[in-house]
Amino acid sequence: MPASPPAPAPPNGVTLGRARDLTRFPVDPWALRELNYSPSDLGRTETIFAVGNGYLGMRANPEEGRTARAHGTFINGFHETFRIHHAEEAYGFATVGQTIVNVPDTMVIRAYVDDEPLLLDVADLEAYERTLDFRAGQLVREVVWRTQAGKQVHIRSTRMVSFPERHLALMTYELTMLDDEAPIAIASQILNRQDGADEYDDTAAPDGWVAAARGEAGLDDAGGPTGTMHDPRRSGAFQGRVLQPEVQRNGGSRSTLGYRCTHSKMTLAVAMDHEITAPPDIAINEDHLIRDDGAEHVYKFFAPKGVTFRINKYVSYHTSRGVPAAELADRCDRTLDRAMKIGAVELQSAQRRWLDDYWDRCDVIVHGQPERQQAVRWCLYQLAQATARAEGNGIPAKGVTGPGYSGHYFWDSEIYVLPFCTYTSPRFARNDLRFRHTMLGAARRRAAELSSDGALYPWRTINGEEASAYYAAGTAQYHIDADIAYALIQYVAATGDVKFLENEGLDILVETARMWYDLGFWRSSDTERFHIHGVTGPDEYTTVVNDNLYTNVMAKFNMRAAADAVAQTARDNPTAYQRAVARLGLHEGEAAEWRHAAEEMHIPYDFQLGIHPQDDQFLEKEVWDLASTPADHLPLLLHYHPLVIYRFQVLKQADVVLAEFLRGGDFSFQDKVADFDYYDPLTTGDSSLSATTQAIMAAECGYQELALKYFDTGLFIDLEDLHMNAEEGLHVASAGGVWSALVFGFGGMRDYDGQISFDPRLPDTWEALTFRVTLRGTRIRCELDHETMSFTVEDGEAADFTVRGAPVHVEAGQPVTVDLETEDEPRLIGTPTLRDFAGSRRADGTVIQTVTPAMPSETRLGAEAEAIEAAEAEALRPNPA
Amino acid sequence: MPASPPAPAPPNGVTLGRARDLTRFPVDPWALRELNYSPSDLGRTETIFAVGNGYLGMRANPEEGRTARAHGTFINGFHETFRIHHAEEAYGFATVGQTIVNVPDTMVIRAYVDDEPLLLDVADLEAYERTLDFRAGQLVREVVWRTQAGKQVHIRSTRMVSFPERHLALMTYELTMLDDEAPIAIASQILNRQDGADEYDDTAAPDGWVAAARGEAGLDDAGGPTGTMHDPRRSGAFQGRVLQPEVQRNGGSRSTLGYRCTHSKMTLAVAMDHEITAPPDIAINEDHLIRDDGAEHVYKFFAPKGVTFRINKYVSYHTSRGVPAAELADRCDRTLDRAMKIGAVELQSAQRRWLDDYWDRCDVIVHGQPERQQAVRWCLYQLAQATARAEGNGIPAKGVTGPGYSGHYFWDSEIYVLPFCTYTSPRFARNDLRFRHTMLGAARRRAAELSSDGALYPWRTINGEEASAYYAAGTAQYHIDADIAYALIQYVAATGDVKFLENEGLDILVETARMWYDLGFWRSSDTERFHIHGVTGPDEYTTVVNDNLYTNVMAKFNMRAAADAVAQTARDNPTAYQRAVARLGLHEGEAAEWRHAAEEMHIPYDFQLGIHPQDDQFLEKEVWDLASTPADHLPLLLHYHPLVIYRFQVLKQADVVLAEFLRGGDFSFQDKVADFDYYDPLTTGDSSLSATTQAIMAAECGYQELALKYFDTGLFIDLEDLHMNAEEGLHVASAGGVWSALVFGFGGMRDYDGQISFDPRLPDTWEALTFRVTLRGTRIRCELDHETMSFTVEDGEAADFTVRGAPVHVEAGQPVTVDLETEDEPRLIGTPTLRDFAGSRRADGTVIQTVTPAMPSETRLGAEAEAIEAAEAEALRPNPA
């Protein structure tokens, strides 16, 4: 019973927080804009204006370098390793720490007018505007600067990380003296800041993350209590250099630096080249220098009034697990040669074309909601920046926008980001799943360390080795195996990519199913049900429990899916099957064992409360008194010892609710409502993963206002900095969750084992909603208003699905419009495998009028099925009146 | 289900291990002897031949320094602090690491003959003997060394840490040239080895613990999975100096060094002085030098054949939390001045007199068992060395014999060592309890950090701050509060020291009771029983559980004892009561709340199995297949991830069994047998605390052979190095447990709430057993053989107790002999508060014939009471025959 002085009730996870200053950040449907410079929230703006392509990411540090919360350029998967020192060691604790490296900064282009540098913090800025353009795919800044001598200087700069050219970034820098002339110097640099090379940065303040190491704590909400404290930049894990210089090349307008990471041995090369555009009569002097940790090209000239000087800075990064840096330097040369031949203008056009295509596939229109529309597009744009060119890597929890979570991959990608990819850009999803396949060897070794068969994916990792130093909220989250299997099956069902299933997919499914079958056990005292003990579910406010509902539901799915995939491959592609048998040592009857365990999986159910307990002991706990918890004691993890938190019914995120979204076909509508009603008030939302799932399930349960509140929490989490840690990077999973909340929540789409259905829940205050999904190669535009839902094939041939239970067939050139019933009552979402039934009551006492589509009743979940049968029998009893 | 290839069955905790080499370590009733030098097991011999007095301890490193597993001199409580770096941080995690410091070494006395140094490893030793004399209280070594020149040198040296003079050590060194003459140099040193001053040690090998830091892991079995790895000497927590030099004084034959710890700011001074005894006609040259990290006095002379040169080296250590080192140096001077005035011979006599007195109080005679007798005396001698002059400090888990567990205090002292102290040397027990009282402020702060009222003692500490870096097997062991309360009540009951109870004792009892009352809660769903959730019991193979039986039983005791103490003080000493009310803010009704919670404490009971589950979920787990666990996979904690271990019914130590020993009056004999039968096969004994408790309860349950096996495991744990970590220091708790096993196990003594009783269980193979206990100042010699038990008052007046239920009164000069029944069946131990009943069955199927003494039935433990009532009713049913 924690001492809790009375205080205002907390908002139960719905924290809309401070409103944005719309005069500074005006609403724009296709851009994020900033109309005046402020150093007060650099951490946030560096993140939300960042540019990237899933491989390379650059925080929105100003061209001038200098003042920053943290300078940062990140390459997905490019990491240093270190030995994790546990304050107390134990067998099997993670040993190989991994952290994304802050790679050399190429953003720096400094201007000196009359030898006076532009310093945003002190400059007299007559105009300032910064725009992240979602269609152009670049960050544009325009300033008019009045120098101390009183001269007006116009500077327009752009920064773009190319989508079509994975290894390329392009910056342009235009300077015009507006009302006078002056001698000008423009210095373009590469700076290795990872190893502290700020000696080049003449007015640099201490780096934000370095400052943080001096005592400031960050909030970390997915990877353990304070995963970011784990950032070795903070904890001093690196005593020496991270990047060992191996290459310095310098010739003409190009400089190249190459490095090798001290411990991970990964290699990197970075090169820059320059094009200068100026009137032919103006002499331009060029100086350059190169050192271990930096390179610089300085262009000096005398600028007459009204003449524009332009520098195009082409930058290339290449990285490798071990190819010599000199070889990577050659690759940079090839990228730069090709790019400069194409030219800046055409590269910018190609970027726009790539994004046009992206928006065609992915755009979501929230009609009549301009502020939300902007935020939605920002989220979708961030999803592109986090995933598009990850290729061979996973999707870090912060994309490539910051060092948060050390650049690690979590289940975030499979459960929160991959649905978006699968239904809009399946190639991105396939990349992630292929990446997981490459980690299978490490996952097999990890399973063995945990005394288990099969493969156990690490809770957090870059290189495939478990990097979670707090096992209770890390390694114990075995569910990651099933999360990966879930995304895989969803991908295969949505795309029909059976070839992937038969090769990489089967390996993952079989090895994860084996892990579950070995981890769980048959319990004779319980009429031979299958149990899983000693695991942690997604809700990290309860750890190491028996029969976590989420875990069991997902493991059940995983084992059944593996058995199905084996059977399907054996039937449809005997050659692939034989190869798999040989490759995986599949033995007779193995799949039948998984199927049996899946069928008999124990799913906790409490008859008295009529809910699914989060785990077998969850209801033994007291309920945390959230109403009396001081608002400044949230998030709980920063104010209470884990032992205290674990002792109560209180949630970081509601994993029962999540399970009932992901495996909605396994649960009745009544269950979903009962469980939502039970868990939502216990949910703090201290996890950034919480809000969008609550939005989806609130929508399904018919709590429209609540759904919208949760949606907004997810939508503005970074733009409004609701979790006060946007500085550490974007919450990619929340951005993915925003798409899911739009399509699954308000659009009411479900994919139950390949059966697509829609049962929309358009918020009252919204005019209409338009989104696209791609099903087996057919892209469908879905347009939803309060009366109808229309489907138009934009690309591909045809698709079949249901709308509120009624089958719909749509073909190219033949849009279909479905009239929606207009009653207010919530309806059954999805194609049920359990019969729903009318007459049951919601928490508010109202009776659900839902008419159940006549679907066959399939397998029911143990106790739950019995409860439903009992309720049905009760309902059928003759009325005593 | 861990993969477990079939292998020989492990010995279920009874690991007698390798036999000692009795030709090297001969049996001797009053000494531990070593007849030849071997460098093969230096770590063990350094520990088992160590000398100390509870304040100062010196490992048995040879006088020559040099070859060692680890040189070590330790002062109880003298520690350095460091910040604990958690690989992942969380709120409330322990932050202040503490580690005992290896204080400057004064043992070094090096001899050079013909300028050739004596190096034990390479020397031609014609004779070697080392004796730790339990009555003389000193370590004596005699060697005859044949130098490379062929000269025979006899060296006899002694080393003593004084019991009467807390701050004094005395060494003597006698050298005689047996068959030739030679120039001799004898160098006496102080060496600060903590800061690596082995440059003075001309042939030093790398320090053992330094070597260990290079990759060798230690086994740690009380303070978390691998607490010793936590030793900052290993983990490199100290980057700079630990001891900052502050004083160097050097004059005549005396040198003094003073230091201050860099972080803890504790101060220390160490001084040595010398007396040389030699024929008056022989000139002795003396050189000396002093530096920051060492001091040396060298005595040079020409030794004729047959003449003995003797050096007496007087050493003094003084330490403080902050008194300037110069002031401590003055104290050293005063100690040395006094000691040298007394002289070496008289100091040695005083040591012997002190020990004569100690043995009068504490000796246990195991008649006809010479090897066990020696080991028993060794254990008792170690208990003196660990506790006698701790004064103001706790009792470290390793005493002052090694750096294991970083010199921390655990519950070991209160549960395993204090019973010995309380019944033989109550002043030692009082010191420990007073020390716990001084930690109350820190314990109050820790409770607040854990969001709890009252005081929560740290699981491991030196300075009162929690130092356990693995909370699941550390901070979560809330039971330490009750363990301290238990030892306190036991001390007060055995001594009648009510004054202590009314002052310090009440503070501890009230604040711990408050913690329990706040930690636990009333559960309405369970007819208002009181529950305690989210704690870890003593068995660390299961962590963070609900309603751990041990914890609940002990918390019940703690709350009731606090309520009783408050009531008793209010009745007997209103002044003290009023002071306590003011001091503690005691409010009306508070004690009644504790009493009510104690009465209604939930005690888990399983009707189906007829046992007490270790906790509310324990029986949900599968049983670990110990029979199939490879022997080389023990201890489990070094071969399985905690998640794997926690998933199963498998024990490091059986805490239900321990609870049923400590609170034996709360359980029926039937329960104890059923629980022992259930838990013993699940118990690995991976904790060194396990064996002696299993011995006591095996004896109570009538498993005589098993009791003896467990007794031997505890008895020889260090002498035979059964846990293979004797090098890190003595297992003090096991030594205390040996006394408990003798007196409580075989002697059958119990103290249930102040009622002393005996129900002996002499092993068949033993002739007789003699032990002493002091009850309220009366020392009684108890002599047990197979027919009788005799009691003689050796000191004091009279005492009352029961023997097998019959009251006995013994007075000075009037010994009493009680005839024991001779049947083999086990009997009820102790004065029951529950009626036992005959006719119940043991695990082997035999029927217990015990006749229950006619005692009133008192409070019963919930479910248990009901079960017993049902069984009783069944027993009373008319016989159908």
Side-chain angles (χ1 to χ4, degrees), chain A residues 1-3 83-94 223-227 229-230 235 239 446 449-453 460 467-472 475-478 517-524 530 533-536 543-544 546 616-617 619-622 636-644 646-647, chain B residues 1-3 83-94 223-227 229-230 235 239 446 449-453 460 467-472 475-478 517-524 530 533-536 543-544 546 616-617 619-622 636-644 646-647:
Chain A
M1 285 177 267
R83 184 172 161 77
I84 299 175
H85 290 288
H86 297 276
E88 284 194 24
E89 277 286 350
Y91 179 88
F93 276 12
T226 52
M229 289 294 289
H230 182 42
S235 63
Q239 310 248 324
R446 184 62 179 158
E449 281 178 348
L450 273 286
S451 308
S452 185
D453 290 347
R460 58 187 298 171
S468 171
Y470 181 62
Y471 74 82
T475 298
Q477 296 201 45
Y478 283 77
Y517 190 72
D518 189 47
L519 178 69
F521 63 97
W522 295 101
R523 185 146 178 208
S524 52
F530 197 76
H533 278 189
V535 302
T536 299
T543 62
V544 191
N546 296 343
D616 253 7
Q617 295 93 48
L619 298 176
E620 305 288 311
K621 306 182 191 202
E622 295 298 278
L636 300 183
L637 62 89
L638 294 188
H639 300 92
Y640 297 94
H641 193 287
L643 276 172
V644 177
Y646 297 169
R647 207 170 275 137
Chain B
M1 286 179 264
R83 186 174 160 78
I84 299 175
H85 290 286
H86 297 276
E88 283 194 25
E89 276 287 350
Y91 179 88
F93 276 12
T226 53
M229 289 294 289
H230 182 42
S235 63
Q239 309 248 324
R446 184 61 178 158
E449 281 177 349
L450 273 287
S451 307
S452 186
D453 290 346
R460 57 187 299 170
S468 171
Y470 180 62
Y471 74 82
T475 298
Q477 296 200 47
Y478 283 77
Y517 190 71
D518 189 48
L519 178 69
F521 63 98
W522 295 102
R523 187 150 176 201
S524 53
F530 196 77
H533 279 190
V535 302
T536 298
T543 63
V544 192
N546 295 344
D616 253 9
Q617 294 93 47
L619 297 176
E620 306 288 310
K621 308 181 189 200
E622 296 297 278
L636 299 182
L637 61 90
L638 294 187
H639 300 91
Y640 297 93
H641 193 287
L643 277 172
V644 177
Y646 296 169
R647 207 170 275 137

Side-chain angles (χ1 to χ4, degrees), chain B residues 19-27 33-37 128:
Chain B
R20 275 185 305 168
D21 175 359
L22 295 182
T23 63
R24 183 170 158 219
F25 299 105
V27 171
R33 293 169 64 204
E34 182 190 36
L35 299 188
N36 54 280
Y37 173 75
Y128 173 96

Side-chain angles (χ1 to χ4, degrees), chain A residues 702 764 822-827:
Chain A
D764 281 344
T822 53
E823 80 265 27
D824 289 332
E825 295 302 333
R827 293 159 218 90

Side-chain angles (χ1 to χ4, degrees), chain B residues 159-442:
Chain B
R159 181 186 298 160
M160 166 184 119
V161 173
S162 174
F163 286 108
E165 285 280 354
R166 186 177 188 234
H167 298 275
L168 184 75
L170 172 68
M171 293 151 227
T172 69
Y173 198 86
E174 292 172 345
L175 183 146
T176 311
M177 297 302 299
L178 293 180
D179 61 355
D180 207 338
E181 55 183 25
I184 306 290
I186 297 178
S188 168
Q189 298 179 330
I190 303 176
L191 286 182
N192 171 17
R193 299 180 186 272
Q194 174 68 54
D195 294 298
D198 271 356
E199 72 262 29
Y200 292 84
D201 207 347
D202 46 7
T203 57
D207 187 288
W209 291 307
V210 174
R214 298 184 190 126
E216 192 175 326
L219 164 63
D220 178 324
D221 55 8
T226 53
T228 50
M229 289 294 289
H230 182 42
D231 183 345
R233 268 180 300 272
R234 292 186 168 181
S235 63
F238 297 133
Q239 309 248 324
R241 289 186 70 95
V242 169
L243 294 171
Q244 301 293 340
E246 297 207 338
V247 175
Q248 296 91 39
R249 289 187 197 166
N250 190 222
S253 53
R254 185 175 297 183
S255 287
T256 306
L257 293 169
Y259 299 91
R260 182 180 294 273
C261 288
T262 308
H263 299 288
S264 74
K265 307 298 181 198
M266 289 191 84
T267 47
L268 166 130
V270 52
M272 62 176 171
D273 204 334
H274 304 84
E275 286 169 353
I276 314 300
T277 313
D281 56 329
I282 291 177
I284 296 183
N285 273 310
E286 198 260 358
D287 283 343
H288 54 252
L289 62 83
I290 191 160
R291 300 184 195 161
D292 281 356
D293 289 322
E296 183 174 58
H297 290 251
V298 184
Y299 298 92
K300 288 167 286 184
F301 49 88
F302 193 86
K305 168 179 166 184
V307 173
T308 297
F309 292 80
R310 177 182 169 119
I311 296 180
N312 294 335
K313 180 176 184 176
Y314 296 81
V315 166
S316 179
Y317 290 86
H318 281 268
T319 49
S320 163
R321 271 178 233 279
V323 165
E327 157 66 16
L328 299 180
D330 294 345
R331 295 184 193 176
C332 287
D333 280 343
R334 291 197 289 274
T335 300
L336 291 183
D337 290 348
R338 186 174 60 250
M340 293 177 81
K341 196 168 160 198
I342 295 170
V345 172
E346 174 52 23
L347 287 169
Q348 288 169 335
S349 296
Q351 178 87 337
R352 187 178 286 270
R353 286 195 301 276
W354 191 98
L355 280 161
D356 286 346
D357 191 47
Y358 177 79
W359 289 114
D360 283 349
R361 296 195 309 273
C362 310
D363 191 27
V364 178
I365 305 170
V366 185
H367 301 269
Q369 299 286 326
E371 196 180 340
R372 288 192 177 100
Q373 177 68 69
Q374 178 186 34
V376 164
R377 289 235 176 80
W378 180 84
C379 287
L380 300 178
Y381 185 68
Q382 293 304 331
L383 288 167
Q385 295 207 133
T387 64
R389 303 305 304 267
E391 296 168 18
N393 297 296
I395 303 161
K398 300 291 186 186
V400 281
T401 64
Y405 301 115
S406 301
H408 289 180
Y409 315 126
F410 296 81
W411 72 310
D412 302 38
S413 30
E414 282 76 17
I415 296 300
Y416 295 89
V417 180
L418 254 55
F420 161 78
C421 296
T422 289
Y423 293 111
T424 67
S425 306
R427 193 167 44 79
F428 303 172
R430 192 175 198 273
N431 281 340
D432 180 83
L433 295 165
R434 278 185 57 84
F435 163 71
R436 288 294 193 187
H437 186 260
T438 65
M439 292 170 66
L440 202 48

Side-chain angles (χ1 to χ4, degrees), chain A residues 358 421 589 741:
Chain A
Y358 178 78
C421 296

Side-chain angles (χ1 to χ4, degrees), chain B residues 4-127:
Chain B
S4 301
N12 273 0
V14 184
T15 45
L16 261 178
R18 57 180 187 255
R20 275 185 305 168
D21 175 359
L22 295 182
T23 63
R24 183 170 158 219
F25 299 105
V27 171
D28 182 307
W30 282 105
L32 182 68
R33 293 169 64 204
E34 182 190 36
L35 299 188
N36 54 280
Y37 173 75
S38 166
S40 68
D41 55 356
L42 283 175
R44 170 168 62 134
T45 56
E46 286 165 9
T47 293
I48 64 178
F49 284 93
V51 292
N53 66 3
Y55 169 72
L56 170 65
M58 295 177 172
R59 289 174 67 78
N61 303 117
E63 281 71 0
E64 292 71 29
R66 298 165 178 131
T67 312
R69 171 66 177 147
H71 297 280
T73 302
F74 300 98
I75 292 179
N76 190 349
F78 188 76
H79 69 280
E80 178 58 317
T81 53
F82 58 96
R83 186 174 160 78
I84 299 175
H85 290 286
H86 297 276
E88 283 194 25
E89 276 287 350
Y91 179 88
F93 276 12
T95 55
V96 183
Q98 302 141 51
T99 192
I100 198 164
V101 170
N102 192 1
V103 299
D105 180 355
T106 52
M107 292 181 275
V108 187
I109 305 174
R110 307 177 200 272
Y112 301 80
V113 175
D114 289 322
D115 296 332
E116 182 193 335
L118 171 56
L119 300 171
L120 289 187
D121 277 358
V122 297
D124 181 358
L125 294 178
E126 301 211 327

Side-chain angles (χ1 to χ4, degrees), chain A residues 460-729:
Chain A
R460 58 187 298 171
T461 192
I462 298 179
N463 66 6
E465 304 290 330
E466 175 66 273
S468 171
Y470 181 62
Y471 74 82
T475 298
Q477 296 201 45
Y478 283 77
H479 65 83
I480 190 162
D481 264 22
D483 304 330
I484 293 168
Y486 182 88
L488 192 161
I489 292 297
Q490 190 174 49
Y491 165 79
V492 171
T495 60
D497 187 355
V498 174
K499 193 163 164 227
F500 181 80
L501 178 70
E502 290 172 354
N503 292 288
E504 294 92 335
L506 213 50
D507 294 357
I508 292 175
L509 292 170
V510 165
E511 290 289 54
T512 51
R514 282 172 169 166
M515 191 286 293
W516 291 119
Y517 190 72
D518 189 47
L519 178 69
F521 63 97
W522 295 101
R523 185 146 178 208
S524 52
S525 67
D526 187 21
T527 57
E528 293 290 350
R529 304 303 303 270
F530 197 76
H531 292 257
I532 297 172
H533 278 189
V535 302
T536 299
D539 171 37
E540 294 174 349
Y541 280 175
T542 293
T543 62
V544 191
V545 296
N546 296 343
D547 290 318
N548 167 259
L549 179 124
Y550 178 90
T551 304
N552 286 17
V553 165
M554 296 296 282
K556 174 187 174 82
F557 163 80
N558 190 345
M559 287 192 283
R560 206 201 62 205
D564 287 350
V566 166
Q568 179 187 318
T569 307
R571 185 189 67 215
D572 298 346
N573 189 343
T575 312
Y577 175 71
Q578 284 312 323
R579 277 204 310 267
V581 166
R583 192 168 69 237
L584 296 164
L586 262 177
H587 62 74
E588 193 67 32
E590 207 176 352
E593 286 175 342
W594 307 330
R595 193 181 296 282
H596 182 48
E599 278 164 4
E600 295 297 333
M601 181 69 75
H602 170 66
I603 306 293
Y605 186 78
D606 186 86
F607 287 96
Q608 205 170 352
L609 294 174
I611 63 157
H612 289 86
Q614 182 167 308
D615 58 67
D616 253 7
Q617 295 93 48
F618 188 78
L619 298 176
E620 305 288 311
K621 306 182 191 202
E622 295 298 278
V623 173
W624 183 289
D625 185 2
L626 267 181
S628 303
T629 304
D632 65 0
H633 276 47
L634 293 173
L636 300 183
L637 62 89
L638 294 188
H639 300 92
Y640 297 94
H641 193 287
L643 276 172
V644 177
I645 297 173
Y646 297 169
R647 207 170 275 137
F648 291 88
Q649 293 188 37
V650 65
L651 311 183
K652 199 172 170 196
Q653 63 182 114
D655 57 20
V656 168
V657 172
L658 176 61
E660 292 179 349
F661 162 54
L662 297 179
R663 295 298 305 157
D666 287 349
F667 295 87
S668 74
F669 180 72
Q670 189 197 39
D671 281 336
K672 293 175 192 176
V673 173
D675 288 336
F676 188 90
D677 288 349
Y678 189 82
Y679 290 105
D680 190 59
L682 302 178
T683 304
T684 58
D686 288 348
S687 168
S688 65
L689 306 177
S690 179
T692 56
T693 299
Q694 293 304 97
I696 293 168
M697 292 306 286
E700 175 162 349
C701 293
Y703 304 138
Q704 196 177 83
E705 206 172 321
L706 189 60
L708 195 54
K709 275 190 183 174
Y710 277 128
F711 172 73
D712 284 342
T713 301
L715 184 62
F716 292 107
I717 194 165
D718 289 314
L719 290 173
E720 303 262 349
D721 204 1
L722 301 181
H723 278 232
M724 290 178 290
N725 61 355
E727 65 182 37
E728 295 176 358

